């Protein structure tokens, strides 16, 4: 076994998603990766704030909590960042076109915006909006937060971690990395991902507006009412879940329950026409990332690697992040050399 030690504060998927979106890998805090991560944290925090001005008529034109001011400041930061990324992109695009290299999402959006013949006209502002909320927010924050919670749960439940690692060793072995095609053969890993999404849904609140007057559970709901569905509390409701606060992935072996919005006590990706469109990518990324990091490393909790458990305090924000980042030391458990060849 290669003896490899290092400190790692889990900031996982920012790296992967930034690469998918902009073709760029940002590893260190000093690069755009750190800037993007901080900005996304700010966005989700401000979006998760209950803004009195949105809900109480009297406060409509007052920015009592400073949410509007903060939103404008974040938007200005985002604007300058995305403009920088777009500019960098434009400089290398001609080369990419010549070589016929694989494009990233931003390249495709820029192609569409430059094409006079398209039915839908895409302007710079649309690219920014699409990039900011729909893709950067949805595609980076949720999977990275979910992976962090799942790993924290595994660190706190060594028996479940042991079973997951044994399953991966048996199905994948130690000479290659876990891949997407392995996921159907890893039922315990799948159950871990579901159980973690049940307790820590990165979309804890789903929002809808009623289109017509209706009655639900005896309550009359007028048309155009904003309705909040509390996914977090549904996942912890003792009427539907036995010992709801316990992390017990095997409950999903007993109950064959999927995550695609058909079981209303378990809606990590929402439900209906507005449910998460990134669900397939998200599930693939979650299983492959979590599976690979426990396949390749043993995780020792704390800066000195001497903690037996980690705290599970929730922070603020619309994506339900951890209050404190997960800090642990990865110790390599397989020889990385064959994997790199
Ligand atoms: C762990 C991963 C993820 C979780 C748990 C998650 C969860 C959710 C939830 C709960 C919603 C609201 C659904 C509703 O209102 O019914 C949502 C919306 C959305 N998600 Fe995800 N998501 C994840 C990953 C992704 C990824 C990877 C992408 C993009 C590639 C993505 C793109 C979106 C978009 C664009 C929306 C807005 C859809 C709309 O308003 O019509 N999500 N997601």
């Amino acid at each position: 076994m290669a003896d490899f030690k290092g400190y790692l504060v889990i900031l996982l998927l920012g790296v992967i998603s930034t690469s998918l979106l902009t073709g760029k890998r940002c590893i260190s805090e000093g690069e755009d990766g750190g800037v993007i991560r901080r900005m996304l944290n700010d966005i989700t925090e401000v979006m998760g704030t209950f803004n009195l001005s949105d809900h109480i008529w009297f406060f409509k034109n007052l920015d009592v909590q400073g949410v509007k001011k903060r939103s404008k400041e974040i938007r200005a930061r985002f604007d300058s960042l995305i403009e920088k990324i777009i500019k960098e992109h434009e400089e290398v695009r001609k080369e990419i076109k010549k070589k016929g290299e694989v494009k990233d999402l931003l390249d495709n959006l820029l192609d569409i915006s430059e094409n006079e013949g398209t039915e839908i006209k895409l302007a710079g502002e649309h690219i920014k909006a699409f990039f900011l909320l729909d893709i950067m927010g949805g595609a980076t924050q949720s999977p990275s937060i979910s992976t962090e919670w799942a790993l924290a749960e595994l660190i706190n439940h060594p028996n479940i971690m042991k079973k997951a690692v044994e399953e991966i060793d048996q199905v994948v072995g130690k000479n290659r990395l876990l891949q997407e095609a392995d996921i159907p053969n890893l039922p315990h890993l799948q159950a871990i991902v579901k159980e973690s999404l049940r307790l820590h849904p990165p979309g804890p609140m789903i929002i809808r507006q009623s289109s017509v007057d209706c009655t639900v559970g005896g309550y009359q709901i007028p048309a155009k009412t904003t309705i909040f569905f509390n996914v977090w509390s549904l996942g912890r409701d003792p009427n539907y879940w036995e010992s709801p606060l316990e992390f017990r992935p095997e409950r999903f072996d007993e109950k064959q329950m999927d995550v695609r919005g058909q079981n209303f006590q378990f809606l990590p990706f929402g439900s209906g026409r507005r449910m998460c469109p990134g669900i397939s990518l998200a599930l693939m990324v979650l299983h492959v990332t979590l599976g690979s990091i426990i396949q390749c490393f043993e995780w020792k909790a704390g800066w000195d690697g001497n903690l037996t458990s980690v705290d599970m305090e929730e922070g603020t924000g619309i994506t339900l992040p951890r209050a404190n980042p997960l800090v642990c030391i990865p110790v390599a458990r397989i020889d990385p050399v064959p994997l790199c060849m």
Side-chain angles (χ1 to χ4, degrees):
M1 184 189 293
D3 224 336
F4 162 98
K5 276 197 182 184
Y7 289 103
L8 190 79
V9 182
I10 300 287
L11 307 168
L12 286 166
L13 290 173
V15 174
I16 297 169
S17 308
T18 316
S19 165
L20 281 175
L21 301 176
T22 68
K24 191 171 169 179
R25 277 164 192 255
C26 311
I27 309 289
S28 80
E29 278 291 289
E31 294 177 84
D32 287 345
V35 178
I36 291 172
R37 193 175 58 82
R38 275 192 297 279
M39 198 179 59
L40 288 174
N41 285 347
D42 288 349
I43 291 170
T44 47
E45 196 187 318
V46 92
M47 279 173 76
T49 308
F50 185 83
N51 188 11
L52 292 173
S53 313
D54 286 342
H55 300 281
I56 300 174
W57 175 85
F58 181 76
F59 293 117
K60 199 174 163 195
N61 296 318
L62 302 171
D63 188 20
V64 197
Q65 298 139 282
V67 174
K68 197 170 172 183
K69 184 169 170 244
R70 212 154 156 235
S71 307
K72 281 187 174 170
E73 178 265 319
I74 297 170
R75 194 207 139 110
R77 264 161 55 205
F78 175 77
D79 255 27
S80 62
L81 174 75
I82 191 73
E83 269 163 25
K84 178 175 162 252
I85 295 175
I86 291 175
K87 201 162 164 241
E88 281 172 7
H89 245 69
E90 277 167 348
E91 280 162 21
V92 289
R93 276 176 82 221
K94 285 182 195 134
E95 281 303 307
I96 291 175
K97 273 188 184 166
K98 262 191 238 155
K99 290 185 199 159
E101 281 175 8
V102 180
K103 290 179 183 176
D104 56 46
L105 179 70
L106 185 53
D107 279 323
N108 285 313
L109 291 174
L110 290 169
D111 279 356
I112 298 171
S113 74
E114 283 164 10
N115 187 345
E116 306 264 306
T118 52
E119 203 178 319
I120 300 167
K121 299 284 169 246
L122 212 56
E125 286 304 302
H126 299 136
I127 295 183
K128 285 183 201 164
F130 181 58
F131 229 67
L132 169 62
L133 277 181
D134 292 358
I135 304 300
M136 268 196 178
T140 60
Q141 283 285 85
S142 312
S144 89
I145 287 173
S146 300
T147 310
E148 205 179 0
W149 279 119
L151 184 59
E153 288 287 8
L154 289 179
I155 288 170
N156 286 352
H157 296 87
N159 287 343
I160 299 173
M161 171 79 101
K162 188 167 172 265
K163 194 172 159 194
V165 173
E166 281 169 3
E167 181 185 63
I168 294 170
D169 283 350
Q170 204 183 348
V171 173
V172 184
K174 292 186 175 181
N175 294 323
R176 67 172 179 88
L177 267 181
L178 185 153
Q179 293 164 0
E180 191 185 346
D182 296 312
I183 300 170
N185 303 321
L186 298 166
H188 187 56
L189 180 67
Q190 290 179 41
I192 288 169
V193 168
K194 283 185 185 167
E195 180 69 339
S196 189
L197 287 172
R198 177 184 73 83
L199 285 170
H200 315 285
M205 213 51 107
I206 296 176
I207 306 166
R208 292 287 187 279
Q209 191 184 69
S210 55
S211 47
V212 291
D213 295 346
C214 52
T215 306
V216 178
Y219 293 93
Q220 291 192 340
I221 303 176
K224 295 197 177 297
T225 304
T226 302
I227 303 160
F228 292 87
F229 294 88
N230 191 335
V231 174
W232 181 91
S233 87
L234 285 172
R236 293 166 181 243
D237 189 331
N239 291 318
Y240 303 109
W241 305 96
E242 208 187 303
S243 312
L245 301 185
E246 280 176 26
F247 185 76
R248 289 205 299 116
E250 49 298 352
R251 70 174 82 237
F252 286 100
D253 298 338
E254 295 145 22
K255 278 186 192 175
Q256 289 302 320
M257 194 179 283
D258 86 357
V259 290
R260 292 179 185 264
Q262 298 306 306
N263 302 288
F264 293 145
Q265 68 274 48
F266 184 45
L267 297 173
F269 293 94
S271 187
R273 277 186 286 180
R274 293 300 295 271
M275 77 175 287
C276 178
I279 183 168
S280 300
L281 175 65
L283 287 173
M284 189 275 281
V285 170
L286 278 180
H287 288 103
V288 172
T289 311
L290 183 66
S292 312
I293 61 178
I294 62 172
Q295 177 195 19
C296 298
F297 302 102
E298 198 186 320
W299 295 88
K300 308 249 182 214
W303 289 105
D304 296 322
N306 56 2
L307 296 180
T308 49
S309 62
V310 293
D311 81 90
M312 298 300 273
E313 200 185 323
E314 293 170 350
T316 51
I318 203 165
T319 46
L320 199 70
R322 289 175 56 79
N324 307 302
L326 178 61
V327 178
C328 30
I329 299 179
V331 181
R333 59 176 299 277
I334 53 179
D335 183 352
V337 177
L339 303 180
C340 303
M341 289 166 65

